[in-house]
């Protein structure tokens, strides 16, 4: 545990250093809604390659050392693989997710905070996509609450379909934390899973709207949703782009296999 916390602290310092170097003006709202102890699912929307920094930092503001659920293939990266191992991140294999699911439930039952992205992949439209049921099933099986978290503004720095903007830019970012959602029912009851997933998506939608209220939305900008007059693709177009991307990935995997 000591080694894990040592690595966690090093990662926390690094994350704060990156945020400070970029000059990000992060507005953390509702941090008190994250329980200080006990198992909890921290459900976060996914609009950027860098929103994991803000997700971890808001958990730390609540006094938690979070465990991320991350793509298992990231372990192949030397640096990220080291961090995943020593921070006890839970590697998610999209083809065989049962093992990572049970690892997450075990962590929740042990009183840990687990960060989950219910959309699974980055939303190109920057609107909420359809949710996977994993977060709800974990909450039901472990008997722990889900806290909905909306992060807004990081897609301006680096995301799919936008220009990468490193360096010091002093962009505003909002991290909006909603009230915990208590689970009711069994993880083996499809109706209970669907109901909790829908409650979670509705709650995250509310937090996202709150985060967007008063936030700059320059017309035509790629990082601004079409609903707000921006140049991002609509949800339907974004879904088609994602299908094409996944098809290309499968084709490359099959080609490597041959």
């Amino acid at each position: 545990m000591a080694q894990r916390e040592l690595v966690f602290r090093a990662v926390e310092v690094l994350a704060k250093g990156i945020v400070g170097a970029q000059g990000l003006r992060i507005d953390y709202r509702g941090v008190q809604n994250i329980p200080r102890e006990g198992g909890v699912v921290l459900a976060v929307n996914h609009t950027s390659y860098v929103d994991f920094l803000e997700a971890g930092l808001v958990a730390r503001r609540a006094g938690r050392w979070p465990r991320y659920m991350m793509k298992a293939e990231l372990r192949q990266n030397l640096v990220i693989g080291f961090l995943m191992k020593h921070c006890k991140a839970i590697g998610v294999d999209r083809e065989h997710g049962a093992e990572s699911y049970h690892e997450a439930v075990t962590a929740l039952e042990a009183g840990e905070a687990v960060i989950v992205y219910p959309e699974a992949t980055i939303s190109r439209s920057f609107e909420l996509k359809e949710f996977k049921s994993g977060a709800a099933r974990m909450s039901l099986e472990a008997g722990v609450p889900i806290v909905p978290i909306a992060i807004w503004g990081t897609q301006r720095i680096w995301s799919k379909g936008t220009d990468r903007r490193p360096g010091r830019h002093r962009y505003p970012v909002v991290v909006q934390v909603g009230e915990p959602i208590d689970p009711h029912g069994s993880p083996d009851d499809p109706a209970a899973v669907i109901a909790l997933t829908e409650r979670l998506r509705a709650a995250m939608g509310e937090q996202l709207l709150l985060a967007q209220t008063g936030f700059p939305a320059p017309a035509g900008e790629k990082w601004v949703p079409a609903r707000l007059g921006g140049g991002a693709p609509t949800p339907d177009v974004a879904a088609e782009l994602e299908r094409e991307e996944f098809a290309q990935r499968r084709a490359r995997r099959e080609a490597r296999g041959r």
Side-chain angles (χ1 to χ4, degrees), residues 113-136:
V114 177
I115 292 176
V116 179
Y117 291 94
E119 299 165 282
T121 57
I122 289 175
S123 170
R124 293 174 180 268
S125 69
F126 311 124
E127 306 281 12
L128 291 181
K129 296 163 52 179
E130 291 302 312
F131 279 19
K132 305 295 183 183
S133 64

Side-chain angles (χ1 to χ4, degrees), residues 19 44 61 74 84 136 157 177 187 195 197 199 215 224 229 247 253:
V19 167
V44 186
R61 281 182 166 245
L74 291 174
M84 287 181 68
I157 302 166
V177 184
T197 301
R199 285 178 63 199
F215 199 93
V224 178
R253 285 198 298 268

Side-chain angles (χ1 to χ4, degrees), residues 44-64:
V44 186
N45 68 321
H46 204 5
T47 61
S48 166
Y49 289 112
V50 296
D51 50 26
F52 70 94
L53 292 172
E54 286 74 18
L57 289 174
V58 74
R60 286 300 303 132
R61 281 182 166 245
R64 306 303 300 260

Side-chain angles (χ1 to χ4, degrees), residues 4 66-75 83-85 87-93 97-108 112-116 138:
R4 176 188 169 191
R67 292 183 66 177
Y68 287 90
M69 295 196 76
M70 303 174 66
K71 292 188 296 184
E73 53 263 38
L74 291 174
R75 289 174 175 156
L83 295 175
M84 287 181 68
K85 176 182 178 180
C87 292
K88 295 195 176 297
I90 301 168
V92 179
D93 185 335
E99 183 177 342
S100 56
Y101 170 82
H102 289 301
E103 185 178 353
V105 170
T106 299
L108 292 167
E112 298 198 71
V114 177
I115 292 176
V116 179
M138 290 173 200

Side-chain angles (χ1 to χ4, degrees), residues 6 29 64 78 179 198 209 211 218 224:
L6 183 63
R29 305 173 183 172
R64 306 303 300 260
L78 187 62
E179 295 182 356
E198 289 178 347
L209 288 177
V224 178

Side-chain angles (χ1 to χ4, degrees), residues 18-20 22-29 44-45 47-48 50-55 57-58 61 149-158 165 169-177 207-208 210-216 223:
I18 293 172
V19 167
Q22 292 179 322
L24 296 183
R25 294 175 287 129
I26 304 178
D27 183 6
Y28 295 98
R29 305 173 183 172
V44 186
N45 68 321
T47 61
S48 166
V50 296
D51 50 26
F52 70 94
L53 292 172
E54 286 74 18
L57 289 174
V58 74
R61 281 182 166 245
I149 301 175
I151 299 175
W152 190 245
T154 55
Q155 75 274 18
R156 188 176 182 180
I157 302 166
W158 186 19
R165 297 172 177 174
H169 34 57
R170 296 185 57 77
Y171 291 151
V173 172
V174 174
V175 181
Q176 185 84 38
V177 184
Q207 299 310 307
L208 184 58
L210 287 172
Q212 292 171 337
T213 301
F215 199 93
W223 60 271

Side-chain angles (χ1 to χ4, degrees), residues 184-254:
H184 298 287
S186 165
D188 298 320
D189 179 1
V193 174
I194 291 172
L196 185 53
T197 301
E198 289 178 347
R199 285 178 63 199
L200 173 61
R201 191 173 187 278
M204 287 183 67
E206 292 173 1
Q207 299 310 307
L208 184 58
L209 288 177
L210 287 172
Q212 292 171 337
T213 301
F215 199 93
E221 286 283 347
K222 294 179 181 179
W223 60 271
V224 178
R227 170 177 56 86
L228 299 177
T234 63
D236 288 343
V237 172
E240 181 58 33
L241 291 171
E242 186 172 273
R243 284 191 289 269
E244 292 174 0
E245 178 186 355
F246 288 166
Q248 292 170 1
R249 287 184 185 176
R250 284 194 297 270
R252 287 195 294 269
R253 285 198 298 268
E254 291 170 0

